[in-house]
Amino acid sequence: GAGALRCGAAIGACARTRHWERALELLRRCQAESSRPGVVAHVAVLAACTRGRQSEAALALLSRMQLSALEADVVACGAAVAACDRAGRWAQALALLGGLSWTRLQPSVVAFGAGISACGRAGKWEWALALLGEAERLGVVLTRVAFSAAVLACARARQWSAALALLGCMRHRRVALDVLTCNIAINACSGRPWQQVCGLLASMQNQAIEPSTATFNALISSCHRGHSWAHALALLRVLLSSAVPPDAITYNAAIGACEAGQQWELAISCMRKMQLGGCRPDVCTYSGLISACGKGHRPEVALALLGEMERRAVAKNIVIYNAAISACALAKLWEEALGLLAEARRGGEGPDLVSHNAAIGACAAGLRWELSLGLLAALRDAALAPDAATRTAVLGACGAGRRWQA
């Protein structure tokens, strides 16, 4: 009647403005006044609750619809599956989609996409692919969003071959790829040979897909993991010559690649480019730089970087101290190593096992066996259990000092 129409209009207005609490309250009031709001009003509230991330409220409303024998339509079921996705209820999403097979309704591509996303969030990538296949069997026209959800499900489970196969499937079905989907696939290939990952950049360019900052970040990180600092820097040069803006993650990944390749001078050069480009070096930047200087046997540069951190008010963490102490140990600078260990103790985080092992190694290299034993005692006082590296360093210190009875 007229009351139901007015109620539905008011609920719709609230839903469109994302006022889910008001929409839900109006629905309850209409039911209390026997206005009997219909499916459209319920769907509007379902959608409002889902957009407002009120998944529990949306699912409770769907249950009440079923109890009152109010037949849900495709839109309502799609909203309910989306609510399951946001609530992390992948099994319930599958049950809702499966339950539609007993009705005259066929799930929409939106419902399938939400179900695929729910399975992906739960790490159930096989179920995500099964839903994609079921949608295709039912003749649902799959969109880029649905495919992207499936690619993301595979990426989260590190199923790189499945993610790449989905990209091929999209091309075969003439579903337009976008940079976000390609970035997801690139991240899925994390840990694969860098040549294979970088091949995806050429594929993107062949399809006139402009890479983003995130694309280059993932590719440079792949070169870092693959110990290919030269290709990481080549990618950085390509990025800097393009209109794509680099960020701190870009430079940090390049510095990490230089650190892994023991190219401390190139790592410093990356930081200077970073500063010229208007990016502020952070703790990750300095961690990579100090570690690179340590591996390059340039402790004086590592210590200068610590001073630069203080001047720039970049807070030091235990990773920074560990890198600096290790740099001093490699150069046999035991006094500087002990000074850094003491400074770390004064900080809030405090030194860990790696810090002590590096300092013990520095004392061993400086033939200060008695200090190594003192650090071993300090390690136990700090309730840190010595490991094989600790014992090797202490034995080396005592052996160098010919103190076998220590």
Side-chain angles (χ1 to χ4, degrees):
L5 289 174
R6 286 194 300 273
C7 179
I11 288 171
C14 291
R16 285 190 295 273
T17 56
R18 297 179 181 269
H19 291 153
W20 66 270
E21 306 101 318
R22 178 65 177 155
L24 199 55
E25 179 58 33
L26 278 173
L27 183 67
R28 289 170 181 157
R29 189 181 301 172
C30 290
Q31 289 169 332
E33 294 172 358
S34 301
S35 296
R36 297 182 63 79
V39 173
V40 174
H42 282 79
V43 169
V45 178
L46 264 174
C49 290
T50 302
R51 283 195 295 268
R53 299 186 180 275
Q54 301 300 315
S55 306
E56 299 297 334
L59 294 174
L61 178 58
L62 184 68
S63 298
R64 289 197 294 274
M65 288 177 69
Q66 293 168 337
L67 289 173
S68 60
L70 190 62
E71 185 179 357
D73 65 2
V74 172
V75 178
C77 291
V81 176
C84 291
D85 176 25
R86 292 182 185 266
R89 296 186 177 185
W90 69 274
Q92 193 167 354
L94 287 178
L96 282 170
L97 289 168
L100 289 178
S101 63
W102 296 96
T103 72
R104 59 180 176 80
L105 299 175
Q106 178 175 298
S108 65
V109 67
V110 174
F112 272 114
I116 291 167
S117 177
C119 292
R121 289 180 196 271
K124 307 295 181 182
W125 65 276
E126 303 98 325
W127 281 106
L129 295 185
L131 281 179
L132 198 68
E134 178 65 9
E136 191 171 42
R137 187 187 70 79
L138 292 173
V140 176
V141 179
L142 294 170
T143 63
R144 184 172 61 202
V145 174
F147 272 110
S148 294
V151 173
L152 181 57
C154 295
R156 283 174 168 153
R158 297 296 183 201
Q159 297 296 321
W160 63 272
S161 57
L164 294 182
L166 284 170
L167 290 188
C169 187
M170 291 177 72
R171 286 192 290 267
H172 179 70
R173 286 164 176 72
R174 299 185 183 279
V175 178
L177 282 166
D178 65 348
V179 66
L180 178 60
T181 308
C182 291
N183 287 350
I184 293 169
I186 288 170
N187 283 309
C189 293
S190 174
R192 301 301 304 165
W194 63 266
Q195 299 94 328
Q196 184 176 20
V197 181
C198 289
L200 290 172
L201 177 62
S203 179
M204 289 174 66
Q205 292 169 334
N206 289 337
Q207 297 176 71
I209 301 171
E210 288 295 328
S212 66
T213 304
T215 308
F216 281 100
N217 290 352
L219 293 171
I220 294 172
S221 295
S222 177
C223 292
H224 173 195
R225 287 187 293 270
H227 301 282
S228 181
W229 59 268
H231 285 90
L233 294 183
L235 284 166
L236 181 62
R237 286 193 294 271
V238 171
L239 173 58
L240 293 177
S241 65
S242 72
V244 181
D247 59 14
I249 297 172
T250 313
Y251 288 107
N252 288 347
I255 288 169
C258 294
E259 180 267 336
Q262 300 186 23
Q263 301 291 323
W264 71 271
E265 290 174 299
L266 292 175
I268 296 291
S269 175
C270 284
M271 186 189 69
R272 299 309 175 208
K273 289 178 183 176
M274 181 181 191
Q275 292 170 320
L276 288 172
C279 286
R280 186 173 184 269
D282 58 18
V283 67
C284 293
T285 312
Y286 283 105
S287 175
L289 291 169
I290 292 169
S291 180
C293 292
K295 291 180 178 179
H297 299 279
R298 296 305 299 265
E300 73 282 1
V301 182
L303 294 174
L305 287 167
L306 281 178
E308 184 175 316
M309 287 184 72
E310 289 185 4
R311 290 192 300 275
R312 295 182 179 275
V314 180
K316 302 171 191 172
N317 60 17
I318 195 60
V319 177
I320 290 289
Y321 281 112
N322 289 351
I325 294 170
S326 297
C328 293
L330 289 171
K332 302 181 181 180
L333 300 177
W334 61 270
E335 291 177 293
E336 287 82 353
L338 291 182
L340 288 170
L341 187 69
E343 185 180 326
R345 285 199 184 102
R346 292 192 294 271
E349 199 171 351
D352 58 10
L353 182 60
V354 175
S355 319
H356 285 85
N357 285 352
I360 290 170
C363 292
L367 304 179
R368 301 306 300 262
W369 62 269
E370 71 283 4
L371 293 176
S372 295
L373 292 178
L375 287 172
L376 179 63
L379 190 66
R380 289 168 175 158
D381 291 342
L384 294 170
D387 62 3
T390 315
R391 289 186 285 273
T392 299
V394 172
L395 287 173
C398 293
R402 301 183 181 277
R403 302 295 298 190
W404 302 110
Q405 302 299 320

